[in-house]
Amino acid sequence: MNQLERKDFHSFFQEQVKEEEHVARVTRFSHGIYTLADDTHTYTANLSGRYHYESVKSRDYPAVGDWVVFQPYENKEKAIIHRLLQRRTLLSRKQAGTGNEEQVIASNIDKVFIVTALTQEFNVRRLERYVQQVYESGAMPVVVCTKRDLCKDVEEKIAHVNLSAPGVPAHAVNTLTGEGVELLLAEVQPGETISLIGSSGVGKSTLINRILNDEVQKTKQVRESDDRGRHTTTHRELFSMPNDIFIIDTPGMRELQLWGEERGVESTFVDIERLSLHCKFRDCKHTSEPGCAVQKAIEAGEIDEGRLKSFKKLKRELHRLELKDRHGQHITNRMLHGPNKNKFSN
């Protein structure tokens, strides 16, 4: 293997590759076909028969952002993928429906730009879900509020973001003029990979075009009646910038179903977790118990009551997910709705 010069090929990945092996990064996946890129070539690739046979779960398969070991053929235009390198981070969500399957969004991401619009789409409860999933991935979240030119109370909404995502950087940008984009990009260092996630119509594709200074992604008009856009991006794709920063765009989401562990909620709601340490009872549910520091903070206007409800809802959702993974759907329903349900509920 020729040592790759790409700055995103960190030592973490280098140590996993033998000298005679070819390695490249997955830059696109669409209709069962992978696109790989190394320093000099782009390959159209498929999985080897053995790889496909040994893969069981969705996370076993390569995702956009992954590094893979491959064998080129047909004059270095096509390739067979033989092995997936261990990941640094993995951004996933639960697949839609009543099942318990993971859907991988992208991998090996350093920072995730959570894109939301400062218009009717703005929703701090939804934002909390995105922040939760990013922390679960191992990446760091950054909130990007687009369409600042259409908002009359930008500072007030950014203040709401800061309360709903403590410690998470938040930027208001105008993707049409570029206002605020330079400060946003200061969050990223050369060699890092960022991913953009958010609902459809919030301006992810327009932001990508502004960052790359090129019309690489198609954009569509947003309906004025409900501020909703149609899915512009239909697949996941990795783009590279001249300053050695890499960007993964993803399709817009109508709904983000969480994937992860219940304990991961602590990172998103660090303010509530800190207050919980001062509650009179260690197992305080933050409802009507005497000496509840969280309820005291709500009464003092320090925390929004909706944030506490969101905290409890996400914990219940992830708790149920863990039970389903451990016991299956039928047993989980009996645990949560049967005569001993209080034993398993939060």
Side-chain angles (χ1 to χ4, degrees):
M1 179 200 78
N2 293 325
Q3 186 76 346
L4 295 184
E5 297 297 329
R6 294 174 57 124
K7 287 195 175 181
D8 53 340
F9 189 54
H10 306 299
S11 58
F12 176 84
F13 305 113
Q14 297 171 16
E15 294 169 356
Q16 301 179 52
V17 183
K18 299 176 182 178
E19 188 165 348
E20 68 274 11
E21 291 180 320
H22 297 274
V23 64
R25 198 170 191 190
V26 179
T27 61
R28 177 177 171 137
F29 176 69
S30 181
H31 303 293
I33 303 297
Y34 295 91
T35 301
L36 311 181
D38 57 18
D39 280 337
T40 58
H41 290 82
T42 299
Y43 309 84
T44 300
N46 290 290
L47 301 180
S48 70
R50 180 175 181 179
Y51 189 149
H52 197 286
Y53 177 77
E54 293 179 347
S55 298
V56 178
K57 298 181 179 180
S58 61
R59 64 168 51 205
D60 297 334
Y61 292 90
V64 172
D66 271 325
W67 289 94
V68 296
V69 171
F70 71 99
Q71 184 62 46
Y73 68 98
E74 285 195 10
N75 198 27
K76 294 187 176 181
E77 292 183 359
K78 295 185 178 181
I80 296 294
I81 299 173
H82 292 285
R83 183 163 64 89
L84 174 69
L85 299 191
Q86 183 181 348
R87 295 155 168 151
R88 297 174 68 205
T89 61
L90 184 64
L91 181 63
S92 302
R93 67 171 178 173
K94 178 183 171 295
Q95 283 188 0
T98 59
N100 197 40
E101 297 295 327
E102 177 185 21
Q103 181 183 20
V104 174
I105 299 173
S107 67
N108 296 318
I109 305 164
D110 297 284
K111 294 183 175 72
V112 177
F113 286 1
I114 303 170
V115 186
T116 185
L118 291 171
T119 51
Q120 297 178 46
E121 196 274 340
F122 186 78
N123 186 317
V124 293
R125 300 286 86 90
R126 185 192 300 120
L127 182 63
E128 289 166 344
R129 297 179 68 85
Y130 280 112
V131 171
Q132 162 63 29
Q133 201 57 62
V134 173
Y135 276 132
E136 185 67 33
S137 77
M140 296 302 297
V142 176
V143 177
V144 185
C145 299
T146 61
K147 306 183 183 181
R148 65 172 299 160
D149 54 311
L150 301 178
C151 179
K152 297 180 180 180
D153 55 347
V154 175
E155 297 303 322
E156 181 179 343
K157 286 188 175 177
I158 291 295
H160 284 305
V161 171
N162 292 332
L163 288 173
S164 301
V168 176
H171 298 268
V173 302
N174 181 342
T175 53
L176 298 179
T177 65
E179 182 184 4
V181 173
E182 187 174 341
L183 288 174
L184 171 63
L185 291 180
E187 299 283 353
V188 191
Q189 302 299 317
E192 290 188 332
T193 299
I194 60 177
S195 178
L196 277 69
I197 62 173
S199 303
S200 57
V202 297
K204 295 194 308 302
S205 295
T206 306
L207 179 59
I208 284 273
N209 292 338
R210 171 59 63 176
I211 291 174
L212 296 176
N213 196 28
D214 192 8
E215 293 292 322
V216 297
Q217 293 292 70
K218 295 180 180 179
T219 59
K220 290 182 179 178
Q221 200 69 29
V222 175
R223 294 193 302 261
E224 293 183 4
S225 59
D226 58 2
D227 200 34
R228 287 297 186 95
R230 291 170 291 173
H231 293 292
T232 302
T233 304
T234 57
H235 59 271
R236 298 170 181 87
E237 187 167 359
L238 183 147
F239 302 93
S240 59
M241 295 176 61
N243 56 356
D244 292 313
I245 292 174
F246 301 84
I247 305 175
I248 298 176
D249 193 15
T250 63
M253 303 178 189
R254 291 297 187 197
E255 179 184 7
L256 176 65
Q257 296 199 44
L258 299 181
W259 181 270
E261 299 181 352
E262 181 184 356
R263 61 186 179 184
V265 177
E266 297 174 2
S267 298
T268 305
F269 295 87
V270 63
D271 50 345
I272 293 179
E273 289 295 330
R274 286 173 180 168
L275 284 169
S276 298
L277 298 176
H278 301 285
C279 290
K280 183 176 181 179
F281 300 105
R282 181 176 297 180
D283 60 346
C284 184
K285 302 298 182 184
H286 316 310
T287 53
S288 57
E289 297 90 341
C292 175
V294 176
Q295 286 294 337
K296 184 178 179 180
I298 291 175
E299 292 171 3
E302 298 171 5
I303 291 183
D304 178 39
E305 186 174 7
R307 182 161 172 77
L308 176 60
K309 291 179 180 179
S310 181
F311 169 74
K312 292 180 177 181
K313 179 181 178 181
L314 297 192
K315 283 182 72 74
R316 286 195 304 269
E317 191 172 331
L318 289 171
H319 180 61
R320 182 184 182 90
L321 186 65
E322 288 183 33
L323 289 177
K324 286 170 68 176
D325 185 57
R326 197 177 309 152
H327 305 288
Q329 177 71 52
H330 180 65
I331 300 299
T332 298
N333 287 339
R334 289 174 56 189
M335 287 179 169
L336 295 176
H337 304 293
N340 296 320
K341 62 180 181 179
N342 292 333
K343 179 180 178 181
F344 302 100
S345 60
N346 290 319

